[in-house]
Amino acid sequence: MELEKRERHAEPEGCLAVAIRIPVRIVVLVLVVPVRMVWDVLVVCGRALDRVLLRPLGRAFVRTYETLLAPVGRGIAWLAGAAATGVRWLCKALFHWPWIALWRYVVLPVATYGVAVPLGRLYRTLLTPAGHGLAWVYARLLTPLGRGVGLLLWAVLVWPWIALYRWVLTPAGHGLAWLYANALAPAARGVWTAVWWLARVLLVVPVVFVYRRLLAPVGREIADAVVMAWRAAGRLSRAVGRALKWPAWNLLGRPAAWFYRNVCTPVGHFARDRVWAPARRGAAEAGRAARGALASARETVRRARRDAWRALVGGTGEPRAVEPAPVRARNLGGTQHIPTVPGAAPGPEISLHKRG
């Protein structure tokens, strides 16, 4: 139904469209065929480049990043974090904690008991009574005087302008509005209607005629010719590509595939198993050794700091002697804990069966 309606409402083709259709299509076909063939060649080259070069490079970059760059980056980040922690602690010790102590134990007590308390007393004993006196003077004397001056200024300066606006300017404005609505507006509408009619007859109608009868048919024919030429060029390009595919594969693709399978793959496996794997294991061992050295260095620094703290606070810094654990010795009735002297050996076990 929609197709029938479109066919019924379709405008009839003019002689100009029928006359220019075939020449336009021939010219467009000649111009579009090279462009379409170049486009198809570029598409094929881009796909081959992506499959042969870009994807292997991307996988190699990802593997290099996961096995080499990421561990190195994590180590550098850990070192940077440790250095930042030390620098932060040093900055706090030099710049933060002394100023906090100065503010808390010097500036704040001086400001509280040396400035705030005297000012409060001055405010309560001197400024508050003075303020109440000034408020009484303002309420009893200045307020009535200000009201009288304000009424005088209103009568002299403001009231004449209000009277002029109400009794002179307002009636004049109403008269001008009536004159505009009843005389000037109809005349302006008539002039605008005449100008619009002349512009429509002299400009709009010729432009619409030229667009509908000349430009629109020519544009539709050019668009249809471009679409037809693009499709025909695509078919021709595919036919040429199929004709060139077999010699290109036998001259380039097959030798390249043989070289990749028989040369590049064994060399890559040898490099991975004989060179890359030992180097990675050596790097891992070096990393573990570096982490162990850093851990021992941290433990040494921690012990030195603990010893220095004990020396500062007055401790001896010597570890407490640990008493030896009691030796479990057998008795006639079972086993029990018998405290022994350090260095003494436990007594022999006594059996009733052997004594008898």
Side-chain angles (χ1 to χ4, degrees):
M1 296 297 293
E2 294 181 356
L3 183 60
E4 293 178 359
K5 291 180 180 179
R6 291 179 181 177
E7 292 179 355
R8 290 175 184 175
H9 293 288
E11 296 182 358
E13 296 182 352
C15 299
L16 180 63
V18 177
I20 67 172
R21 178 175 298 169
I22 296 176
V24 167
R25 291 192 175 184
I26 293 173
V27 172
V28 171
L29 181 62
V30 172
L31 295 177
V32 170
V33 168
V35 177
R36 180 59 186 265
M37 295 186 69
V38 171
W39 173 260
D40 291 338
V41 170
L42 292 177
V43 170
V44 172
C45 293
R47 291 177 181 175
L49 182 66
D50 177 68
R51 185 172 56 253
V52 176
L53 181 61
L54 297 180
R55 291 184 184 178
L57 285 178
R59 287 192 291 267
F61 177 76
V62 170
R63 182 168 298 177
T64 304
Y65 172 77
E66 292 177 351
T67 56
L68 181 61
L69 298 180
V72 172
R74 285 193 292 268
I76 294 174
W78 182 85
L79 291 176
T85 302
V87 171
R88 184 170 61 250
W89 182 87
L90 182 60
C91 291
K92 284 185 178 181
L94 295 178
F95 301 105
H96 183 66
W97 294 330
W99 291 105
I100 289 179
L102 179 63
W103 169 261
R104 185 175 298 173
Y105 299 110
V106 178
V107 177
L108 192 60
V110 170
T112 301
Y113 297 103
V115 178
V117 173
L119 288 179
R121 292 180 181 177
L122 179 64
Y123 174 78
R124 287 192 301 271
T125 58
L126 181 60
L127 297 179
T128 301
H132 288 307
L134 292 175
W136 183 85
V137 171
Y138 174 77
R140 299 296 181 182
L141 298 178
L142 297 180
T143 302
L145 181 60
R147 289 177 181 175
V149 173
L151 291 176
L152 180 62
L153 293 175
W154 173 266
V156 174
L157 299 177
V158 179
W159 176 250
W161 293 102
I162 293 176
L164 178 64
Y165 173 77
R166 287 183 179 178
W167 295 324
V168 178
L169 297 179
T170 301
H174 288 309
L176 292 176
W178 181 86
L179 179 63
Y180 172 77
N182 293 299
L184 297 178
R189 283 195 294 270
V191 172
W192 173 253
T193 302
V195 171
W196 167 250
W197 185 81
L198 290 175
R200 185 173 180 274
V201 171
L202 297 177
L203 296 177
V204 177
V205 173
V207 170
V208 171
F209 178 80
V210 171
Y211 173 76
R212 289 181 178 177
R213 300 300 180 182
L214 181 60
L215 298 179
V218 172
R220 283 195 296 269
E221 291 301 328
I222 292 175
D224 295 339
V226 169
V227 173
M228 185 272 297
W230 186 261
R231 293 177 180 174
R235 295 189 183 94
L236 180 61
S237 176
R238 285 193 292 272
V240 174
R242 293 191 189 97
L244 296 176
K245 181 180 179 180
W246 186 84
W249 168 251
N250 287 282
L251 293 176
L252 298 176
R254 194 181 299 277
W258 179 87
F259 180 77
Y260 177 78
R261 286 194 303 268
N262 297 310
V263 178
C264 296
T265 301
V267 170
H269 290 173
F270 176 79
R272 182 191 61 187
D273 298 334
R274 301 296 182 180
V275 178
W276 176 250
R280 185 175 58 182
R281 287 195 294 269
E285 293 294 336
R288 283 194 290 270
R291 287 195 294 271
L294 289 175
S296 62
R298 286 199 301 270
E299 183 64 25
T300 303
V301 171
R302 189 180 296 110
R303 290 179 181 177
R305 185 175 57 188
R306 185 169 60 248
D307 295 340
W309 175 256
R310 289 178 180 177
L312 288 176
V313 300
T316 59
E318 297 180 356
R320 296 180 180 178
V322 181
E323 296 182 356
V327 181
R328 297 176 63 89
R330 294 182 177 273
N331 202 353
L332 294 177
T335 60
Q336 62 180 358
H337 293 285
I338 301 176
T340 59
V341 180
E349 297 182 357
I350 301 174
S351 177
L352 296 176
H353 298 286
K354 290 182 179 180
R355 180 178 296 181

